[in-house]
Amino acid sequence: MANMTKVFRVDLSTGVILEVQRWERRLSDMREDFASVEVVEEILSKENPLIYEVYETRPISTKIGELVCCTTILYPGKVANEYYMTKGHYHQDPNSSEVYLVLSGQGFLLIKQGRETSALFLEKGSLAYIPPGCAHRVVNTGHTPLVFFAVYPVQAGHDYERAKQEGFGLRIVDKEGQPCVAKS
Ligand code: S6P
Ligand code: ZN
C-alpha cells in the first residue's frame, strides 16, 4: 500500500494542480531561444516576464512505466513579433512518448521528427500525441494563457541542448495581427 496513488486536484479554470511541485521559466531562462536576441536583452534591461509555469506530480518511484502528470500555463505575449513559447526539448529516452490535452487558450504545437517540423493548431479540447524521438515546443498565439495537461513516462528525461542546437526550423510570428508559420 505504500505506493498507493493519491488523487490530485486540478483547478480547471487556471490549470494549477494543487499541492504539487511548481517550476517556472522567465525570459532570462530563455535568452537564446527567441530569434531576436537584441529584443530579449532590451526587455530584460527593464523586466523579467514570466513566460510559463509548470505544476507536476511525481510518482513515488522512478521505475520504468511510472508516469508524470503535469500542467503548463503558457502566458500570452511576444518578443518582437515572435509569440511566447516553451523552450522545447527531446526526451532523452528515445522510447518515451507524451500526450498533451489543451484545457484553454490557443496556439501551435511544433513537432520535429527527423528533418521535418509540423505546426499543429491547438485550442481547448485539442488532444495531441507526441511520438517517441520527436522534439516538441508549444507556442501561445492567443490573448489568454494557453493551458495544457501532459502525461509522460518518468524515465523520459529532457534534452534541451539538442533541441536548441538543431532548432525547430519553424517559428510562429505575428504578421499584421495574424499568427503565421515562418521558416527559420
Ligand atoms: C515534459 C512536457 C512538458 C514541458 C513543459 C515546459 O516532457 O513536454 O511538461 O516540460 O511544457 O516545456 P519545456 O520545453 O521547458 O520543458
Ligand atoms: Zn516532453
Side-chain angles (χ1 to χ4, degrees), residues 1-8 58-63 66:
M1 292 297 257
N3 284 348
M4 191 88 165
T5 191
K6 64 175 271 193
V7 171
F8 296 90
R58 303 301 304 183
I60 294 164
S61 94
T62 51
K63 277 194 302 204
E66 298 267 22

Side-chain angles (χ1 to χ4, degrees), residues 158-179:
H158 297 90
D159 187 344
Y160 294 101
E161 201 46 41
R162 179 179 165 202
K164 191 167 91 181
Q165 293 305 326
E166 288 182 5
F168 278 79
L170 295 180
R171 291 187 180 274
I172 312 293
V173 296
D174 176 333
K175 206 170 174 190
E176 292 161 9
Q178 290 302 317

Side-chain angles (χ1 to χ4, degrees), residues 59-105:
I60 294 164
S61 94
T62 51
K63 277 194 302 204
I64 288 183
E66 298 267 22
L67 298 172
V68 177
C69 297
C70 61
T71 51
T72 301
I73 305 171
L74 174 57
Y75 289 96
K78 279 179 280 182
V79 171
N81 66 344
E82 188 173 12
Y83 296 97
Y84 280 6
M85 61 193 182
T86 60
K87 209 169 172 61
H89 57 264
Y90 283 94
H91 291 156
Q92 273 158 349
D93 170 15
N95 297 313
S96 284
S97 54
E98 184 157 9
V99 171
Y100 284 177
L101 173 63
V102 178
L103 304 180
S104 60

Side-chain angles (χ1 to χ4, degrees), residues 15-171:
V16 172
I17 308 180
L18 304 178
E19 294 168 17
V20 297
Q21 189 184 317
R22 172 194 178 277
W23 57 273
E24 65 179 33
R25 280 199 215 283
R26 291 183 175 267
L27 187 58
S28 59
D29 303 311
M30 300 182 70
R31 279 196 133 94
E32 295 168 355
D33 296 305
F34 291 96
S36 180
V37 176
E38 298 77 27
V39 174
V40 168
E41 294 307 323
E42 193 186 313
I43 297 170
L44 285 175
S45 68
K46 297 178 218 131
E47 55 173 347
N48 187 12
L50 178 61
I51 311 293
Y52 53 98
E53 53 188 316
V54 177
Y55 291 83
E56 69 188 18
T57 69
R58 303 301 304 183
I60 294 164
S61 94
T62 51
K63 277 194 302 204
I64 288 183
E66 298 267 22
L67 298 172
V68 177
C69 297
C70 61
T71 51
T72 301
I73 305 171
L74 174 57
Y75 289 96
K78 279 179 280 182
V79 171
N81 66 344
E82 188 173 12
Y83 296 97
Y84 280 6
M85 61 193 182
T86 60
K87 209 169 172 61
H89 57 264
Y90 283 94
H91 291 156
Q92 273 158 349
D93 170 15
N95 297 313
S96 284
S97 54
E98 184 157 9
V99 171
Y100 284 177
L101 173 63
V102 178
L103 304 180
S104 60
Q106 51 183 241
F108 285 85
L109 170 63
L110 299 182
I111 297 198
K112 180 171 184 245
Q113 189 157 34
R115 290 179 177 197
E116 269 200 26
T117 300
S118 311
L120 307 173
F121 180 68
L122 297 177
E123 61 186 345
K124 181 176 177 177
S126 297
L127 177 65
Y129 172 65
I130 299 161
C134 296
H136 43 290
R137 161 181 282 168
V138 174
V139 185
N140 183 352
T141 57
H143 299 289
T144 57
L146 171 51
V147 181
F148 60 96
F149 173 76
V151 186
Y152 64 95
V154 71
Q155 77 274 10
H158 297 90
D159 187 344
Y160 294 101
E161 201 46 41
R162 179 179 165 202
K164 191 167 91 181
Q165 293 305 326
E166 288 182 5
F168 278 79
L170 295 180
R171 291 187 180 274

